[in-house]
Amino acid sequence: DFTEMMRALGYPRLISMENFRSPNFMLVSEVLLWLVKRYEPQTDIPPDVETEKDRVFFIKAVAQFMATKAHIKLNTKKLYQADGYAVKELLKITSVLYSAMNTKGMEHTEVNEEDSSKFKFDLGSKVADLKAARQLASEITSKGASLYDLLGKEVELREARTESIARPLEINEAEKMMKIAINNILEQVQKTKDMLNNVALDEANLEARIEKRKLELEISQKRLQTLQSVRPAFMDEYEKIEEELQKQYSSYLEKFHNLTYMEQLLDDLRRTEQEMFEEAANRLHLMQNRLKEEEQHLLKSGDNDDSDVEIQEDEGSDSEGEERQLIKQCKAMETAVQGRAGKRIVGTMHGGDTEED
């Protein structure tokens, strides 16, 4: 597996397990340096491995680099042996690089398979990053301001720092301060233990309260089910009253419709009588005008005979009688219309039992 991974990573030389049957520090150092350069090309690790001191320094430098950068813990003793056990340590680095290469290759194939025309940039995913960047910018500004203030006080604090450094360290005072610090830490530990104990008690109390609430909830649910299943005593009376109310409402609607119809008929009758009255008044007015014209004509014609006068008087008496009769009829009709308009009809919606009623 190690040789195949190295070949896949692009190592220029061919490696076989026979090379590690006996200690081969030069090959191990070369592979380690190539893997480190492969992981981070900008790293600076001295490649000198001529002396024993240089080899130890080289192994320590590689192990420290991989621990800090890649979080890979290497056994320096096995690497220094440069045999088959060193291959296991080298395999830790090569497996990480090989898996990273495979992951990157899969990502490239997936991107190539996707249609570039359908690719859309999701701006919503960058909102959180934008907020974090703004917050970081504000923090940087505040930190820079506080740093500027502290640097302004550096001139004053330099003398006090120099005096503190120049002052000889007293063992008794240091021991006293250490005891005080230890006592403070012990007090904090005791407080933390007390808080943990209180948390356990609070948890027990909360669990008991939760159980109590659950029991109350079950009792309330049972009571609700019981109340829902029981029919109230007033429901029969309520249903009976509701039926009577429905009947009364139907009767009310019928009477209201009848009353509306009767009022409409009454309005139509009044409108007809008013039209008849206006027509009679117009006829009377026309007849009065005609009579006035005849009287004027008679006054002008004074040379008529007695017989003609008598005939005209008879005709005038007849016309005057007709006019009087017409005037009386108009006045009676006007009085009847006024009486009907002023009176109010009172009655019921039910007809009589007989024709006389």
Side-chain angles (χ1 to χ4, degrees):
D1 294 338
F2 175 70
T3 56
E4 292 177 359
M5 288 181 184
M6 291 297 291
R7 190 182 300 111
L9 290 172
Y11 188 67
R13 291 178 55 184
L14 294 176
I15 302 173
S16 64
M17 295 306 298
E18 297 296 333
N19 298 122
F20 299 99
R21 296 296 180 185
S22 60
N24 190 354
F25 192 84
M26 297 302 294
L27 180 59
V28 172
S29 62
E30 184 180 353
V31 172
L32 279 174
L33 186 60
W34 186 84
L35 290 173
V36 170
K37 292 291 185 180
R38 178 82 179 188
Y39 190 84
E40 188 173 351
Q42 303 297 330
T43 186
D44 186 12
I45 294 177
D48 298 332
V49 291
E50 297 297 332
T51 61
E52 182 181 354
K53 186 176 181 181
D54 293 337
R55 292 180 178 182
V56 172
F57 180 77
F58 176 77
I59 295 295
K60 286 184 178 180
V62 172
Q64 185 177 3
F65 173 79
M66 297 307 297
T68 54
K69 297 294 183 179
H71 301 286
I72 299 173
K73 187 177 181 181
L74 300 175
N75 194 339
T76 56
K77 291 182 180 180
K78 292 182 179 180
L79 287 174
Y80 191 78
Q81 289 177 7
D83 53 1
Y85 293 101
V87 176
K88 295 181 180 180
E89 302 300 322
L90 294 173
L91 190 60
K92 295 179 181 178
I93 306 172
T94 55
S95 61
V96 173
L97 293 174
Y98 183 74
S99 62
M101 184 183 68
N102 290 334
T103 304
K104 187 176 181 181
M106 291 175 65
E107 289 178 355
H108 280 298
T109 54
E110 290 177 358
V111 171
N112 291 330
E113 289 176 358
E114 290 180 354
D115 189 4
S116 60
S117 63
K118 294 181 179 179
F119 180 77
K120 295 181 180 179
F121 181 73
D122 189 7
L123 186 60
S125 61
K126 301 295 181 182
V127 175
D129 297 338
L130 182 60
K131 291 182 179 178
R134 288 179 179 176
Q135 186 177 2
L136 184 61
S138 62
E139 290 180 359
I140 290 172
T141 305
S142 60
K143 295 292 183 182
S146 61
L147 181 62
Y148 179 79
D149 295 336
L150 293 174
L151 289 175
K153 298 178 182 178
E154 175 64 20
V155 179
E156 300 176 359
L157 297 175
R158 187 181 300 167
E159 298 179 357
R161 184 171 64 251
T162 305
E163 291 178 358
S164 299
I165 294 172
R167 188 173 58 187
L169 183 62
E170 296 181 0
I171 302 299
N172 295 329
E173 186 177 357
E175 185 178 359
K176 183 178 180 182
M177 296 300 294
M178 289 296 293
K179 287 182 179 179
I180 292 172
I182 291 169
N183 291 329
N184 291 332
I185 292 172
L186 291 175
E187 289 179 358
Q188 291 180 2
V189 170
Q190 187 62 33
K191 289 180 180 179
T192 304
K193 289 181 179 179
D194 295 338
M195 290 175 65
L196 290 174
N197 294 329
N198 292 331
V199 167
L201 293 175
D202 294 339
E203 185 178 358
N205 292 331
L206 287 174
E207 288 179 355
R209 192 176 297 175
I210 289 169
E211 292 295 332
K212 185 177 179 181
R213 293 296 183 184
K214 285 182 179 178
L215 292 175
E216 291 179 356
L217 178 61
E218 290 178 358
I219 293 171
S220 300
Q221 288 179 350
K222 291 180 180 178
R223 186 177 299 172
L224 177 62
Q225 292 177 359
T226 303
L227 292 174
Q228 289 177 351
S229 62
V230 174
R231 180 181 175 83
F234 59 86
M235 282 300 295
D236 296 335
E237 185 178 359
Y238 173 78
E239 292 176 355
K240 188 183 296 183
I241 294 173
E242 189 175 5
E243 291 178 359
E244 293 179 359
L245 179 63
Q246 189 66 30
K247 293 179 181 179
Q248 293 294 332
Y249 181 72
S250 301
S251 176
Y252 165 75
L253 286 178
E254 184 180 358
K255 291 179 180 180
F256 181 77
H257 292 162
N258 295 333
L259 178 61
T260 306
Y261 178 70
M262 295 299 291
E263 288 179 352
Q264 185 179 0
L265 292 178
L266 180 61
D267 292 337
D268 295 339
L269 181 61
R270 288 176 179 175
R271 193 180 302 109
T272 305
E273 291 180 351
Q274 183 68 25
E275 291 176 356
M276 291 174 63
F277 174 74
E278 290 177 357
E279 185 179 357
N282 292 329
R283 288 173 60 188
L284 179 62
H285 183 67
L286 292 174
M287 190 174 291
Q288 289 177 353
N289 292 332
R290 186 169 59 80
L291 291 175
K292 287 180 181 179
E293 291 177 358
E294 290 179 356
E295 288 178 358
Q296 291 177 1
H297 181 67
L298 291 174
L299 290 175
K300 289 180 181 180
S301 58
D303 55 349
N304 293 331
D305 297 335
D306 295 336
S307 60
D308 294 335
V309 171
E310 291 176 358
I311 293 169
Q312 288 178 359
E313 285 179 357
D314 295 336
E315 292 178 354
S317 61
D318 295 335
S319 61
E320 286 178 0
E322 291 179 357
E323 290 176 359
R324 289 175 184 175
Q325 186 177 0
L326 183 61
I327 291 170
K328 289 181 180 180
Q329 290 179 357
C330 291
K331 288 182 179 180
M333 188 180 295
E334 183 178 3
T335 304
V337 170
Q338 291 177 357
R340 289 180 182 178
K343 293 182 180 180
R344 182 177 179 184
I345 298 172
V346 179
T348 60
M349 301 302 298
H350 299 287
D353 292 337
T354 62
E355 294 181 356
E356 294 178 358
D357 294 337

